[in-house]
């Protein structure tokens, strides 16, 4: 009797095991096999980590996020772990943690957005050698990292030409975020453009020391406008939002006041239709989508640096405000200089050292 009970119990255990095994097998097939019996193609998933400016900075990070969304839409993906996503950093202490989190969640490619993420991308790429990463605005020499740079100086040069031809006071302002190579490229290019179009114009250069302090950007802009600067260009991320607020506020107080602001990274005309002259566009969205697509197709440029300039349509100048008094002259000059830069006849300086020897042709 005892033996019979043991035998029955064993049979039940084996039956249960068989049933569980069958269930597991069925689930596996559901994940890997399409309804027609063929294998499903696993989605190539992509994510990004913002710098402290945040995903809605109306500038750099937002443009990168737009690129991911464009990639997702083109490939039929949705936001989340099975498609594309982002993690926002509130301080630089979040960079490594966020990159590591996305890598462990299984994203095929993880972007670190911004020069400030160099150390974090380098660290996590070494820790996760089987994962692929990309960094925007810097170079990380690891085989599993694609580095992306831009010729910001070329877009900034055109912005400098526009500012020089629009100013009435011959006093122009430049607000930088932090003193890092990418912002130096903006500064050098802008100063070169002003010099080329109107050598007698002066540029007041000030740095905020941050990319996420709109109130600081407004304070600097207020001082510039009150000192006679009538065109101010910013390359300061979300800090630059303060420039637009100050310009818009001044314009509301005195609609006849001749002041302008120049945006950065994307067409920022929406930040002040009455005061935004143009924007030095940097197509981070295009670069992010391009690198993601290459990786998906098996052409991930790991260990390489891809550079986007005017020639690659990676940078450029947004349309000139229709209310600008010198619109026609600006557009004509911008086209002429664009052609010269694209042809190689003019090499725009990317550093302040190169600016010293720059001669407009």
């Amino acid at each position: 009797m005892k033996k019979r009970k043991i035998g029955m119990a064993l049979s039940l255990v084996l039956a249960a095991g068989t049933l569980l095994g069958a269930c597991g097998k069925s689930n596996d097939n559901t994940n890997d096999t399409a309804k027609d019996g063929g294998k499903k193609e696993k989605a190539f998933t992509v994510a990004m980590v913002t710098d402290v400016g945040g995903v809605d900075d109306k500038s750099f990070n937002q443009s990168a996020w737009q690129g991911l969304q464009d990639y997702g839409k083109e490939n039929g993906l949705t936001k989340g772990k099975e498609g594309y996503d982002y993690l926002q950093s509130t301080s630089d202490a979040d960079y490594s943690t966020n990159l590591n989190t996305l890598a462990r969640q299984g994203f095929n490619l993880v972007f670190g957005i911004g020069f400030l993420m160099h150390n974090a991308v380098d660290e996590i790429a070494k820790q996760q050698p089987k994962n692929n990463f990309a960094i925007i605005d810097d170079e990380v020499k690891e085989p599993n990292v694609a580095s992306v740079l831009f010729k910001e100086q070329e877009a900034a040069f055109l912005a400098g030409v526009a500012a020089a031809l629009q100013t009435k006071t011959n006093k122009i302002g430049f607000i930088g975020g932090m003193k890092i190579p990418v912002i130096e490229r903006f500064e050098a290019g802008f100063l070169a453009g002003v010099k080329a179009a109107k050598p007698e114009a002066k540029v007041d250069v000030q740095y905020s020391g941050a990319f996420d302090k709109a109130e600081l950007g407004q304070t600097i802009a207020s001082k510039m406008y009150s000192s006679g600067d009538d065109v101010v260009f910013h390359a300061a991320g979300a800090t630059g939002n303060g420039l637009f607020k100050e310009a818009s506020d001044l314009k509301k107080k005195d609609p006849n006041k001749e002041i302008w602001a120049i945006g950065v990274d994307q067409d920022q005309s929406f930040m002040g239709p009455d005061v935004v002259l143009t924007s030095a566009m940097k197509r981070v969205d295009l670069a992010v989508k391009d690198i993601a697509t290459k990786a998906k197709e098996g052409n991930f440029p790991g260990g390489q640096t891809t550079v986007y300039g005017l020639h690659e349509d990676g940078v450029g100048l947004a349309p000139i405000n229709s209310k600008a008094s010198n619109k026609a002259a600006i557009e004509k000059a911008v086209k002429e200089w664009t052609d010269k830069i694209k042809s190689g006849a003019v090499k725009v300086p990317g550093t302040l050292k190169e600016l010293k020897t720059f001669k407009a042709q």
Side-chain angles (χ1 to χ4, degrees):
M1 189 71 175
K2 206 170 188 178
K3 288 183 179 178
R4 187 179 176 189
K5 285 182 178 179
I6 292 172
M8 288 178 66
L10 184 59
S11 296
L12 289 171
V13 170
L14 289 171
T18 301
L19 182 60
L20 286 171
C23 289
K25 199 168 186 180
S26 175
N27 287 339
D28 288 345
N29 288 338
T30 300
N31 290 332
D32 297 336
T33 308
K35 289 181 181 179
D36 61 2
K39 288 285 183 181
K40 264 188 176 181
E41 183 181 350
K42 188 180 182 300
F44 189 90
T45 58
V46 184
M48 63 175 249
V49 176
T50 75
D51 67 11
V52 293
V55 76
D56 58 352
D57 62 356
K58 298 179 177 62
S59 184
F60 186 71
N61 288 288
Q62 188 168 321
S63 182
W65 176 232
Q66 184 60 56
L68 274 198
Q69 293 178 89
D70 291 343
Y71 166 82
K73 183 178 180 180
E74 188 175 283
N75 290 280
L77 305 177
T78 56
K79 184 177 180 297
K81 294 181 182 179
E82 301 302 317
Y84 58 93
D85 211 344
Y86 73 89
L87 286 179
Q88 188 156 303
S89 304
T90 56
S91 73
D92 55 6
D94 296 332
Y95 296 161
S96 294
T97 300
N98 286 342
L99 287 166
N100 196 40
T101 296
L102 292 174
R104 290 183 178 278
Q105 286 178 352
F107 284 95
N108 297 109
L109 175 62
V110 179
F111 284 86
I113 307 301
F115 174 91
L116 298 177
M117 299 194 66
H118 174 96
N119 291 339
V121 171
D122 187 52
E123 173 193 357
I124 302 303
K126 288 174 179 174
Q127 292 179 7
Q128 306 278 6
K130 293 183 179 179
N131 291 80
N132 285 336
F133 300 88
I135 184 167
I136 303 294
D137 273 357
D138 201 20
E139 296 178 282
V140 172
K141 302 296 185 180
E142 292 296 327
N144 58 332
V145 179
S147 300
V148 176
L149 296 177
F150 295 84
K151 293 180 180 178
E152 294 90 353
Q153 66 269 29
E154 294 182 347
F157 180 94
L158 299 179
V161 169
L165 294 180
Q166 184 58 39
T167 182
K168 300 293 192 299
T169 64
N170 283 344
K171 296 180 70 176
I172 297 166
F174 173 84
I175 301 175
M178 299 177 72
K179 290 189 176 183
I180 55 178
V182 58
I183 305 303
E184 183 180 1
R185 290 196 289 273
F186 273 117
E187 181 187 349
F190 185 67
L191 295 177
V194 171
K195 179 181 179 181
K198 187 179 286 187
E200 67 271 25
K202 304 298 181 184
V203 182
D204 176 16
V205 176
Q206 294 190 40
Y207 276 79
S208 63
F211 291 108
D212 58 347
K213 305 293 183 187
E215 67 281 2
L216 190 52
Q218 185 170 3
T219 298
I220 296 173
S222 176
K223 292 178 180 177
M224 286 182 166
Y225 287 129
S226 63
S227 68
D229 297 351
D230 59 351
V231 184
V232 179
F233 170 47
H234 91 89
T239 296
N241 294 342
L243 162 65
F244 301 121
K245 186 177 187 312
E246 181 63 20
S248 296
D249 288 350
L250 290 173
K251 193 71 172 178
K252 285 178 183 177
K253 290 179 183 178
D254 182 1
N256 296 317
K257 194 174 183 64
E258 279 276 346
I259 57 168
W260 295 98
I262 297 178
V264 76
D265 293 336
Q266 60 176 319
D267 184 348
Q268 293 192 305
S269 56
F270 63 92
M271 293 296 290
D274 293 329
V275 296
V276 177
L277 178 64
T278 182
S279 300
M281 295 195 300
K282 175 176 169 178
R283 298 299 304 277
V284 181
D285 58 332
L286 180 149
V288 165
K289 181 171 176 272
D290 185 39
I291 296 297
T293 300
K294 285 178 179 176
K296 176 182 179 293
E297 295 172 346
N299 300 314
F300 176 65
Q304 301 175 39
T305 299
T306 305
V307 182
Y308 297 87
L310 269 178
H311 190 268
E312 297 79 19
D313 294 323
V315 301
L317 197 69
I320 305 301
N321 194 308
S322 60
K323 298 176 182 178
S325 57
N326 285 347
K327 181 176 184 292
I330 294 172
E331 290 177 336
K332 182 174 182 293
V334 165
K335 184 182 184 308
E336 290 174 353
W337 284 107
T338 297
D339 291 342
K340 289 179 182 179
I341 295 169
K342 282 187 174 183
S343 70
V346 171
K347 185 179 184 302
V348 181
T351 66
L352 296 178
K353 182 179 180 181
E354 292 176 353
L355 177 64
K356 291 179 181 179
T357 58
F358 172 73
K359 291 182 180 180
Q361 299 177 12

